[in-house]
Amino acid sequence: MAVLASWFWVLAGCFSVAVAEISNISGLYPPLWEDSPEQLSDYRLEDGKHIINPWVFTDRMGMYRILLKETATYFARYGPENEQNLLWGLPLQFGWQYQTGRLADPTGTTDCGNEPEESLCVSVDSWWADVNYYLSVLPFLAAVDSRITGLSPDQITILPPPKDQMKFCYNVSGCGSAFSETMDRWRDFFQYMKLPSSDFEGLLKKLWNAHTSSLEYPISVFVDRYDFYSEQEATFERDWAIAVYYLGAARLPTTLNRTHSFQRGLPPRVLVDTDIVPFIPDFTPLQNEVLEILKILGNSDRLSGSLTLTIWESLMSTKVARELFLKALEKFLGTSP
Ligand SMILES: *[C@@H]1O[C@H](CO)[C@@H](O)[C@H](O)[C@H]1NC(C)=O
Ligand SMILES: *[C@@H]1O[C@H](CO)[C@@H](O)[C@H](O)[C@H]1NC(C)=O
Ligand SMILES: *[C@@H]1O[C@H](CO)[C@@H](O)[C@H](O)[C@H]1NC(C)=O
C-alpha cells in the first residue's frame, strides 16, 4: 500500500505544477505543431496517393494534427478550443520525446535526430519511436477506417522504416490482420465517439483500453533496443511502460492542459550512466522524485507479478474512487471550488 500511496502523491505532485503561467492555449501545443500537415493534401502526392513518412517528425505529428482536427467536433461539448480532446495526450507525449532527444538514433551510428540537418529524423532504433508508432499510425488508420477523417484508406501510403520493416504495419488491412485486437479497440473508441449517447467517462475508458492494447506488441518486441541506452534510461523505459498501465487504470484525462502539466514531471533529456536518481542536478526535484517513484513502482510490479497493478485497478474500479483521485489532484492545482 505504501507504494500505491506514494504513486498517488507523485501523480498529485506532477499535477500541482501550476498551469497558470501560459495564458495562450496554443503555447501548450506540441513542438512544430503548426509546421505539421493539417490535412492529407499537405502531404506529398505521388501516383494519386499521399505519402506519409512516419520516420519524419512532422509527418508523424501531422497524423495527430489531422486526428485532433477531425475529432474536435465530438469534444466540443466538453469545453472550448478542443482543449478537452482526450487525444491530446498522444501528440504531447510524442512532442516530449522529440524535445528530450528520445527520437534520435541512440546508437550514434547515424545522424538521425542528432544533427541539425537531420533534426526531424525519427530513428527506427529509438525504443520510444518504435512504441509510439503503435500509438500514432494504428489510431490514425483506425480513424480512417472508421470514416472519422472523411479519407479513404487507398489515398494513403505509409512509408516503411529503413530496417525491421516486418515489425510494423502500413495500411488498414495489414494492421487489421496483424494487430486485430488493437485496431478493434481503436475503432471501438472512434465508433463510440460518434454516438450521440457517448459521454466523457465512456470515451476515457475506451481510449485507455485502446492505448494499453497498443503497447503490448511493441513492448515485447523492441526489447533489443534497451541495449542502445544507458542502464538508467533503459530502466526508465521499462518503468514508464509499466506506469502507463497504472495511469490507464486511473483513467487519467489526457486533455491538453492536464497532459501538459503532467509532462513537467518527466525527465527533460535522455538519462546517462552518471545520472543517479534522485540526485540528478540538472533535473527539478519533481523530475527526480518522479523517476524515483517510477523505479519503486516498476520494481514492486515486477516483484509482485503485477499484483500491485491488480490492486490499483480494483482501487480505481469505481467512478467514485477515480473522481476522488481527480478531486485530490484538482485541489493541488487550486482549481477546485
Ligand atoms: C497565441 O500564440 C501564438 C504563437 O505563440 C500566436 O500566433 C497567436 O496569435 C496567439 N493568440 C492569441 C489569442 O494571443
Ligand atoms: C487551459 O490552459 C490555457 C492556458 O493556460 C487556459 O487559457 C485555459 O483556460 C485552460 N483551460 C482549462 C479548461 O483549464
Ligand atoms: C498492406 O501492407 C501489406 C504489408 O504490411 C502489404 O503486403 C499489402 O500489399 C498492403 N495492402 C495494400 C492494399 O496496399
Side-chain angles (χ1 to χ4, degrees):
M1 287 316 279
V3 168
L4 293 178
S6 44
W7 176 237
F8 175 91
W9 290 115
V10 123
L11 285 182
C14 295
F15 279 92
S16 70
V17 181
V19 224
E21 60 195 56
I22 298 165
S23 61
N24 177 345
I25 195 166
S26 68
L28 304 178
Y29 291 164
L32 301 176
W33 184 253
E34 307 291 345
D35 299 321
S36 302
E38 185 181 22
Q39 56 216 354
L40 202 57
S41 58
D42 294 339
Y43 287 97
R44 186 163 56 91
L45 188 67
E46 211 171 83
D47 298 330
K49 288 185 172 207
H50 294 280
I51 314 289
I52 303 178
N53 184 354
W55 306 96
V56 171
F57 179 74
T58 40
D59 268 29
R60 201 186 285 197
M61 191 58 97
M63 289 190 270
Y64 284 138
R65 198 169 176 206
I66 292 172
L67 264 186
L68 264 293
K69 187 180 164 200
E70 300 288 338
T71 55
T73 170
Y74 303 103
F75 286 93
R77 63 174 132 151
Y78 304 116
E81 297 188 270
N82 207 17
E83 192 278 324
Q84 289 285 300
N85 195 321
L86 292 170
L87 290 165
W88 277 118
L90 298 171
L92 286 184
Q93 261 291 291
F94 185 53
W96 166 78
Q97 292 166 0
Y98 173 76
Q99 272 170 331
T100 60
R102 288 186 162 81
L103 301 176
D105 180 358
T107 70
T109 52
T110 72
D111 289 341
C112 181
N114 288 316
E115 293 297 326
E117 61 276 15
E118 292 279 341
S119 70
L120 294 180
C121 178
V122 173
S123 172
V124 68
D125 282 323
S126 158
W127 178 85
W128 297 96
D130 293 335
V131 175
N132 176 268
Y133 190 91
Y134 294 83
L135 290 167
S136 53
V137 172
L138 268 62
F140 180 74
L141 289 175
V144 169
D145 196 36
S146 307
R147 305 266 171 266
I148 291 292
T149 57
L151 308 171
S152 146
D154 19 274
Q155 291 175 288
I156 303 162
T157 296
I158 292 181
L159 296 184
K163 68 172 221 196
D164 286 337
Q165 289 93 348
M166 296 302 286
K167 291 181 176 162
F168 301 91
C169 63
Y170 308 98
N171 52 50
V172 170
S173 56
C175 296
S177 59
F179 308 104
S180 61
E181 190 186 331
T182 300
M183 287 292 280
D184 279 348
R185 291 203 196 183
W186 281 112
R187 270 190 290 254
D188 192 36
F189 168 74
F190 291 118
Q191 301 291 358
Y192 177 79
M193 189 181 68
K194 288 200 281 185
L195 298 177
S197 60
S198 68
D199 59 31
F200 200 72
E201 192 62 23
L203 285 164
L204 208 44
K205 179 172 184 216
K206 288 183 184 294
L207 178 76
W208 278 109
N209 276 343
H211 189 125
T212 50
S213 172
S214 299
L215 297 176
E216 279 165 28
Y217 176 83
I219 283 176
S220 63
V221 161
F222 296 107
V223 285
D224 58 334
R225 301 323 195 226
Y226 294 140
D227 293 344
F228 302 145
Y229 296 91
S230 69
E231 199 185 317
Q232 276 75 356
E233 179 72 8
T235 302
F236 169 58
E237 290 165 0
R238 290 192 182 90
D239 293 343
W240 181 238
I242 289 171
V244 172
Y245 287 91
Y246 287 78
L247 295 172
R251 294 195 201 150
L252 193 79
T254 46
T255 58
L256 180 61
N257 289 7
R258 279 206 163 106
T259 309
H260 185 81
S261 42
F262 174 67
Q263 294 199 149
R264 295 190 194 188
L266 297 179
R269 58 161 173 80
V270 177
L271 299 169
V272 294
D273 276 320
T274 49
D275 287 332
I276 300 170
V277 175
F279 306 109
I280 306 174
D282 57 329
F283 285 17
T284 64
L286 178 70
Q287 288 161 349
N288 271 297
E289 203 183 338
V290 168
L291 282 174
E292 175 85 339
I293 298 292
L294 286 176
K295 199 171 250 189
I296 297 170
L297 183 79
N299 283 338
S300 73
D301 186 272
R302 281 183 287 265
L303 280 174
S304 72
S306 291
L307 179 64
T308 41
L309 178 59
T310 311
I311 295 171
W312 178 253
E313 280 171 344
S314 76
L315 275 177
M316 291 292 118
S317 65
T318 67
K319 191 167 180 219
V320 174
R322 291 191 302 272
E323 271 172 2
L324 276 174
F325 176 73
L326 270 176
K327 250 193 197 130
L329 297 183
E330 276 169 359
K331 200 163 180 179
F332 269 87
L333 274 172
T335 52
S336 68

